[in-house]
């Protein structure tokens, strides 16, 4: 077994900028972690079997200047040495990034990764927007409804953990390409699935793919930013998630309720407007994949895995790209040699052996609970859970409360008709929001008309003719049909509740589930609510980006969550749609600073070898909290205001207090 010592020279060369490693004359130009050692620094132990256990041997004085073999050092000493090397590399890398400057390369990567982050925002809201249409179009029973939202979040939760861990082993760019390609392909494929089971499967795999976007995007971008730029520009990057939400809301409003976007291929295949919406929402992901093919890997990741030649070339590319954009193409990249951390024997063995990739990801995850990041991981987990639970829970609760208020107002305007008798009359107009009780209809004609939220109770239809009739939210309870004729209607057993049909005939009855979204005013309102709620985030996003490095991450994180929790109490006064919309905008505007700060803090707290894994774990908790929030808050709509308000407020304030106790990373270099 070989153990290496490294000689660390100044990493700045003469102005000619020629790069020379310790093996400049090596024809192979090896980039292994072992490159750069001097012959006198190499210690070969041969068949060494162990360390002498007697104290005399241990206490025997060493010759002056003699190097201790790694085998004679305990694990803690090796870890201390490696930690010191890592800190020195972090300081050196910070100086290199400062020399490369901030310019065209970072902005190119900014917009590329922004498209990937935008795709994550779109994916979250696609679920809510297509859920009513998809379940109606595919005749999903009530017992199976809601699975779409839960299974997509489940896929995103697993994907965040898996791809975050993969990014620490395989690389940021490669993993992001894979996960975004998976999302784009299965999102596009899902739009053509006619069966609900296949549709669920495709959306779950698409969610699994996009789950890796957030942890990889922030890890990737942070590693090409200097300390002075990191907080601000990571916050600007967060805006793309908001842009994704705006894009999804605008496309849903423009496409889903309009049947002009739909087409059919025979009677067996229907491609309704919501499917067109799903295809359109996959476009940012496709653009991100194309743009990523032109971007290099993170140089910090290459340094972590010992590929210093590749890292140097990318750093030179960053430098030259920025200098050319500044009009200084003659400026030379002066970095000559990059420090490589000393590798312990266990680490070298782990890197060289072809072990199970999943077990390596798991081992890296366990390292997130080792010193010195153990306490930070626990606190981050609490903050991610509380912020996500409150945010996603209230995001579900707000629109549902507004729809509940609309439904109550709509029900208060219902027209009631009792004991009426209508004979030999033609109905060729829409009947809406009515209740007919103990009514008698004789020889009436219902032609090319619609029942919308109409209920007939204990009524009789005798010798009536129904043609081209559509019933939306309408039912016949305890009614009687005598010698009636139904031609091309959607009136079936689901609409006839405890109803007797005597000597009546059905011709060409409409089969399957009829899409009725174009008449649903609440659909437009839900999209409008989400759109305005997202726009309210814009001021908070700008403020957090400008003040991130001035106020500090922790202050912004803690106080943003506390203020968001306090704002929940204003919901007591939300008695109308406009007031609830105002409360939603206030809450979103206050909470966005917490999200931006949390993303920045999470990236900066973890070292490079576990940055993706740690962020992926936190993001997986975020999706778990989203599922919990949707279930709990969704069940409280229309029941009580007190429980959601107190629950969200206490959770957010508690998480904010924990966030204030996280380590301050504002002045730290990226480890």
């Amino acid at each position: 077994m070989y153990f290496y010592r490294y000689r660390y020279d100044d990493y700045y060369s003469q102005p000619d900028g020629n790069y020379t490693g310790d093996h400049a004359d090596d024809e192979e130009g090896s980039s292994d972690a072992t490159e750069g050692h001097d012959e006198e620094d190499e210690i070969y132990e041969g068949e060494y079997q162990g360390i002498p256990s007697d104290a005399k041997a241990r206490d025997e004085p060493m010759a002056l200047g003699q190097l201790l073999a790694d085998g004679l050092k305990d694990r803690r000493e090796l870890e201390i040495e490696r930690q010191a090397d890592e800190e020195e590399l972090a300081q050196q890398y910070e100086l290199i990034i400062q020399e490369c400057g901030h310019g065209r390369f970072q902005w190119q990567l900014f917009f590329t990764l922004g498209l990937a982050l935008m795709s994550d925002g779109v994916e979250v809201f696609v679920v809510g927007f297509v859920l009513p249409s998809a379940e109606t179009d595919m005749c999903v029973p009530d017992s199976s409804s809601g699975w779409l939202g839960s299974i997509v979040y489940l896929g995103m939760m697993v994907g965040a953990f898996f791809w975050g861990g993969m990014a620490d082993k395989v690389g940021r760019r490669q993993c992001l390409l894979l996960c975004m390609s998976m999302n784009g392909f299965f999102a596009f494929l899902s739009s053509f699935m006619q069966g609900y089971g296949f549709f669920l499967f495709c959306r779950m795999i698409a969610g699994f793919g996009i789950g890796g976007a957030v942890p990889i995007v922030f890890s990737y971008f942070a590693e090409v930013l200097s300390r002075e730029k990191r907080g601000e520009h990571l916050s600007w990057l967060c805006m793309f998630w908001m842009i994704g939400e705006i894009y999804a809301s605008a496309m849903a409003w423009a496409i889903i309720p309009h049947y002009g976007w739909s087409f059919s291929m025979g009677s067996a295949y229907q491609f309704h407007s919501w499917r067109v919406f799903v295809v359109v929402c996959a476009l940012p992901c496709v653009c991100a994949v194309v743009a990523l093919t032109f971007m290099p890997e993170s140089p910090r990741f290459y340094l972590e895995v010992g590929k210093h030649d590749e890292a140097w070339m990318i750093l030179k590319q960053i430098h030259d790209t920025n200098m050319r954009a500044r009009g200084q193409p003659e400026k030379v990249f002066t970095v000559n040699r990059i420090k490589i951390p000393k590798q312990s024997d266990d680490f070298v063995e782990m890197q060289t052996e072809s072990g199970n990739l999943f077990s390596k990801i798991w081992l890296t995850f366990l390292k997130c609970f080792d010193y010195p990041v153990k306490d930070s991981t626990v606190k981050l987990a609490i903050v991610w859970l509380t912020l996500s639970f409150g945010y996603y829970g209230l995001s579900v609760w707000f629109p549902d409360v507004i729809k509940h208020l609309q439904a109550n107002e709509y029900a208060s305007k219902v027209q009631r008709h009792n004991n009426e008798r209508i004979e030999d009359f033609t109905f060729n107009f829409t009947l809406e929001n009515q209740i007919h009780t103990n009514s008698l209809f004789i020889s009436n004609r219902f032609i090319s008309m619609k029942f919308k939220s109409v209920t007939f109770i204990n009524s009789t239809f005798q010798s009536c003719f129904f043609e081209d009739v559509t019933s939306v939210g309408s039912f016949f309870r305890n009614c009687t049909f005598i010698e009636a004729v139904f031609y091309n209607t959607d009136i079936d057993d689901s609409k006839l509740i405890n109803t007797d049909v005597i000597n009546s005939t059905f011709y060409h009855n409409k089969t399957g589930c009829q899409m009725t979204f174009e008449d649903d005013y609440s659909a437009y309102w839900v999209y409008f609510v989400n759109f305005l709620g997202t726009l309210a985030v814009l001021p908070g996003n700008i403020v957090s980006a400008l003040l991130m490095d001035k106020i500090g991450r922790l202050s912004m994180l803690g106080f943003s969550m506390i203020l968001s929790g306090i704002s929940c109490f204003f919901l007591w006064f939300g008695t109308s749609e406009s007031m609830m919309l105002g409360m939603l905008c206030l809450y979103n505007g206050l909470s966005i600073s917490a999200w931006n700060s949390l993303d920045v803090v999470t990236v900066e707290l973890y070292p490079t070898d576990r940055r993706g894994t740690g962020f992926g774990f936190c993001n997986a908790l975020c999706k778990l909290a989203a599922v919990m929030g949707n279930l709990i808050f969704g069940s409280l709509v229309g029941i009580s205001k007190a429980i959601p308000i107190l629950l969200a407020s206490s959770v957010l304030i508690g998480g904010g207090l924990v966030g204030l106790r996280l380590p301050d990373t504002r002045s730290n270099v990226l480890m």
Side-chain angles (χ1 to χ4, degrees), residues 100-312:
C100 291
H102 188 93
R104 175 178 293 175
F105 178 87
Q106 280 84 359
W107 286 113
Q108 289 173 346
L109 186 61
F110 173 81
F111 286 107
T112 299
L113 298 180
L115 287 171
L117 195 60
M118 177 180 172
S119 301
D120 182 85
V122 169
E123 185 73 22
V124 169
F125 287 91
V126 163
V127 175
F129 291 156
V130 306
L131 190 60
S133 301
E135 292 179 344
T136 301
D137 189 22
M138 297 179 180
C139 307
V140 179
D142 292 339
S143 60
S144 300
S145 64
W147 268 102
L148 177 58
S150 299
I151 204 165
V152 170
Y153 278 125
L154 177 64
M156 296 175 76
M157 179 179 69
V158 177
F161 182 81
F162 174 78
W163 291 113
M166 281 283 288
D168 287 335
K169 299 301 177 186
V170 180
R172 283 52 165 135
R173 174 183 173 273
Q174 185 173 347
C175 283
L176 190 57
L177 268 173
L178 288 173
C179 69
M180 296 303 295
S181 299
M182 180 180 295
N183 172 255
F185 176 77
F186 281 96
F188 180 79
L189 185 64
S190 69
S191 66
F192 297 94
M193 295 293 106
Q194 292 291 296
Y196 192 59
F198 287 109
F199 182 76
L200 279 179
F201 176 77
C202 288
R203 295 312 304 187
M204 181 182 68
I205 301 301
F208 173 78
I210 201 63
V214 173
I216 299 177
V217 160
F218 284 101
S219 300
Y220 194 172
F221 195 48
E223 290 169 357
V224 296
L225 295 173
S226 64
R227 175 172 49 193
E228 291 75 16
K229 300 285 186 180
R230 197 161 54 237
E232 177 184 350
H233 287 270
L234 285 176
S235 298
W236 289 126
L237 185 64
C238 293
M239 292 186 65
F240 280 93
W241 201 90
M242 177 200 68
I243 295 172
E245 184 178 350
I246 293 177
Y247 177 80
S249 302
M251 292 299 101
W253 177 82
I255 296 175
I256 294 180
H258 302 287
Y259 267 21
W261 292 81
S262 306
F263 65 89
S264 60
M265 299 172 61
S267 59
Y269 191 87
Q270 302 290 326
F271 200 89
H272 290 298
S273 55
W274 68 268
R275 297 181 183 273
V276 179
F277 168 71
V278 171
V279 173
V280 171
C281 284
L283 295 180
C285 182
V286 175
C287 295
V289 171
V290 174
L292 272 170
T293 58
F294 298 97
M295 302 308 299
E297 180 57 82
S298 163
R300 187 64 181 86
F301 168 77
Y302 272 153
L303 288 176
E304 191 64 29
V305 296
K307 296 182 178 180
H308 47 283
D309 286 355
E310 291 86 342
W312 183 88

Side-chain angles (χ1 to χ4, degrees), residues 50 98 127 191 259 439 478 593 651:
Q98 289 178 6
V127 175
S191 66
Y259 267 21
S439 300
N478 303 317
S593 296
V651 164

Side-chain angles (χ1 to χ4, degrees), residues 497-650:
I497 302 173
N498 297 325
T499 295
D500 295 326
V501 180
I502 303 172
N503 295 331
S504 298
T505 309
F506 292 83
Y507 295 102
H508 301 289
N509 214 46
K510 296 178 181 179
T511 58
C513 302
Q514 304 302 315
M515 296 291 292
T516 58
F517 218 22
E518 76 276 14
D519 293 310
D520 191 357
Y521 168 74
S522 65
Y524 289 93
W525 186 251
V526 168
Y527 305 146
F528 182 68
V529 166
N530 280 281
F531 181 76
L532 288 183
T534 305
L535 287 182
V537 169
L538 182 60
N541 230 320
I542 295 174
V543 169
S544 66
L546 295 176
L547 300 181
M548 184 68 69
D549 292 315
K550 296 180 175 62
I551 295 179
R553 292 92 159 103
L554 301 187
S555 299
M556 191 167 290
L557 170 63
F559 290 115
S560 176
M561 291 185 68
I562 292 172
L563 290 175
S564 299
I566 294 174
S567 70
C568 292
F569 287 104
F570 289 100
L571 296 174
W572 287 109
F573 310 103
T575 56
S576 65
E577 298 174 15
S578 58
M579 291 183 68
M580 292 299 296
L581 184 58
M583 295 302 102
L584 173 64
C585 293
L586 175 63
Y587 172 76
N588 283 349
L590 290 173
S591 63
I592 187 60
S593 296
W595 282 109
N596 293 0
S597 306
L598 188 57
D599 290 330
V600 175
V601 169
T602 305
V603 163
E604 294 177 336
L605 275 176
Y606 288 105
T608 303
D609 65 335
R610 67 198 91 164
R611 181 169 296 119
T613 304
F615 205 126
F617 167 66
C618 292
N619 201 248
L621 292 179
C622 170
K623 299 304 183 288
L624 176 62
V627 174
M628 295 168 55
N630 289 343
L631 293 175
I632 295 174
F633 283 82
S635 64
L636 297 173
V637 174
I639 298 176
S640 171
K641 274 189 177 182
I643 298 177
I645 291 174
L646 293 176
L647 182 60
S649 180
S650 59

Side-chain angles (χ1 to χ4, degrees), residues 74-87:
D74 60 26
R75 178 180 297 274
R76 182 160 183 80
E77 281 187 80
L78 295 175
E79 287 299 325
I80 291 174
E81 286 186 15
R82 176 171 171 77
Q83 182 66 25
D85 290 349
E86 287 282 5
E87 291 174 359

Side-chain angles (χ1 to χ4, degrees), residues 10-40:
D10 221 358
Y11 60 89
Y12 286 110
S13 67
Q14 298 300 321
D16 62 3
N18 294 327
Y19 169 65
T20 56
D22 292 329
H23 288 282
D25 57 342
D26 190 347
E27 295 180 359
E28 297 298 326
S30 172
S31 63
D32 294 334
T34 57
E35 179 180 347
H37 72 279
D38 295 329
E39 290 300 325
E40 65 270 19

